[in-house]
Amino acid sequence: MKHFRSLLLVLLSASPALAGEVLIPAVLRGPGANGSVWRSEIVLSNTTTENRFPIVSTVTLHPTGGGAPVSLEVTTGPKQTYVIHDAVLDWFDLEEGSGIVRVTWSEEDAQISARARIYNVSSGGEFGQGVPGLPIGQLQLDNYLPGVSGINGNRTNIGVSNPHDVPVQFWIELFETSGLSRGSFSNIVQPRSYRQFNDIFSWFQAGPLDAAMVRVQAINKTVYPYASIVRADTGDATFVTPAQ
């Protein structure tokens, strides 16, 4: 037993510490209307300012529902960009699935950016929305998502993404245009997953509002909350990140 513990400590100490991490709060591949398929494009770039050697990043999908994470290594040279148009399938080998994506690296002073686009293809072309990746260091406990709407053909979904290895408790509070609070409720997002609340106004007695604000206040760890405002007629979508 002592030998096993010593070996474990050596292995842990030999593992490189993370120098950076970017969180993409949600990706999806699954069925849409009329036999279509929702897909997720991931764009990963090496934006390190110095002209230096290639950077190895680990890209990990943590599936919704707590399935085993799927990881791969991506090596990017200076100013190099990867664009994977159907990443959940092509990178993570899933015909259907959703989850969060963590991009991590151990090289000090490296700069890696990542973002996603969740989209569908119809007879009229592609439609979807961009999903920015944010560095873990930019995530906050107290977050505001301004300008959300549930009227005039709009529907707003609120998501809360947790990159940490412990559950996070949080409060969601709704404010009308004047700044008056219209109520709040608490919930929990499980480790390395996201929780989405579709049609957020249906979770409050206030009813649909326009130009409202949602506050997401985490209790024990920082989170990445977002709003997705979707047009019912065209499917046009706007992705809202926390106000800085």
Side-chain angles (χ1 to χ4, degrees), residues 151-175:
I151 67 172
N152 298 326
N154 295 306
R155 180 184 76 255
T156 294
N157 305 323
I158 298 293
V160 182
S161 187
N162 172 17
H164 308 290
D165 58 3
V166 297
V168 175
Q169 182 182 4
F170 59 90
W171 285 85
I172 292 182
E173 186 172 8
L174 176 66
F175 296 88

Side-chain angles (χ1 to χ4, degrees), residues 71-151:
S71 297
L72 72 156
E73 289 188 343
V74 178
T75 300
T76 49
K79 311 304 183 289
Q80 185 177 3
T81 296
Y82 274 95
V83 180
I84 309 300
H85 295 293
D86 194 358
V88 175
L89 177 63
D90 294 340
W91 262 1
F92 307 116
D93 200 27
L94 293 177
E95 292 280 352
E96 291 186 21
S98 64
I100 72 169
V101 171
R102 297 169 57 239
V103 180
T104 58
W105 60 95
S106 57
E107 179 64 34
E108 292 290 341
D109 300 324
Q111 296 176 353
I112 301 294
S113 69
R115 59 179 169 85
R117 181 174 68 100
I118 301 175
Y119 67 98
N120 206 330
V121 180
S122 71
S123 59
E126 292 186 4
F127 65 96
Q129 61 185 314
V131 181
L134 289 181
I136 294 297
Q138 291 184 15
L139 304 186
Q140 307 171 120
L141 289 171
D142 202 3
N143 304 270
Y144 291 90
L145 302 168
V148 301
S149 176
I151 67 172

Side-chain angles (χ1 to χ4, degrees), residues 169-173 184-187 214-219:
Q169 182 182 4
F170 59 90
W171 285 85
I172 292 182
E173 186 172 8
S184 63
F185 65 90
S186 67
N187 214 299
V214 170
R215 180 187 191 185
V216 179
Q217 187 173 25
I219 304 302

Side-chain angles (χ1 to χ4, degrees), residues 50-68:
E50 298 179 6
N51 187 14
R52 54 191 299 170
F53 45 83
I55 304 298
V56 178
S57 304
T58 300
V59 183
T60 303
L61 171 69
H62 297 271
T64 301

Side-chain angles (χ1 to χ4, degrees), residues 13-79:
S13 62
S15 300
L18 293 183
E21 179 174 345
V22 170
L23 173 64
I24 298 175
V27 295
L28 166 70
R29 193 179 202 276
N34 302 317
S36 62
V37 177
W38 286 98
R39 302 170 178 85
S40 294
E41 176 183 86
I42 291 180
V43 179
L44 187 151
S45 299
N46 179 352
T47 59
T48 308
T49 54
E50 298 179 6
N51 187 14
R52 54 191 299 170
F53 45 83
I55 304 298
V56 178
S57 304
T58 300
V59 183
T60 303
L61 171 69
H62 297 271
T64 301
V70 184
S71 297
L72 72 156
E73 289 188 343
V74 178
T75 300
T76 49
K79 311 304 183 289

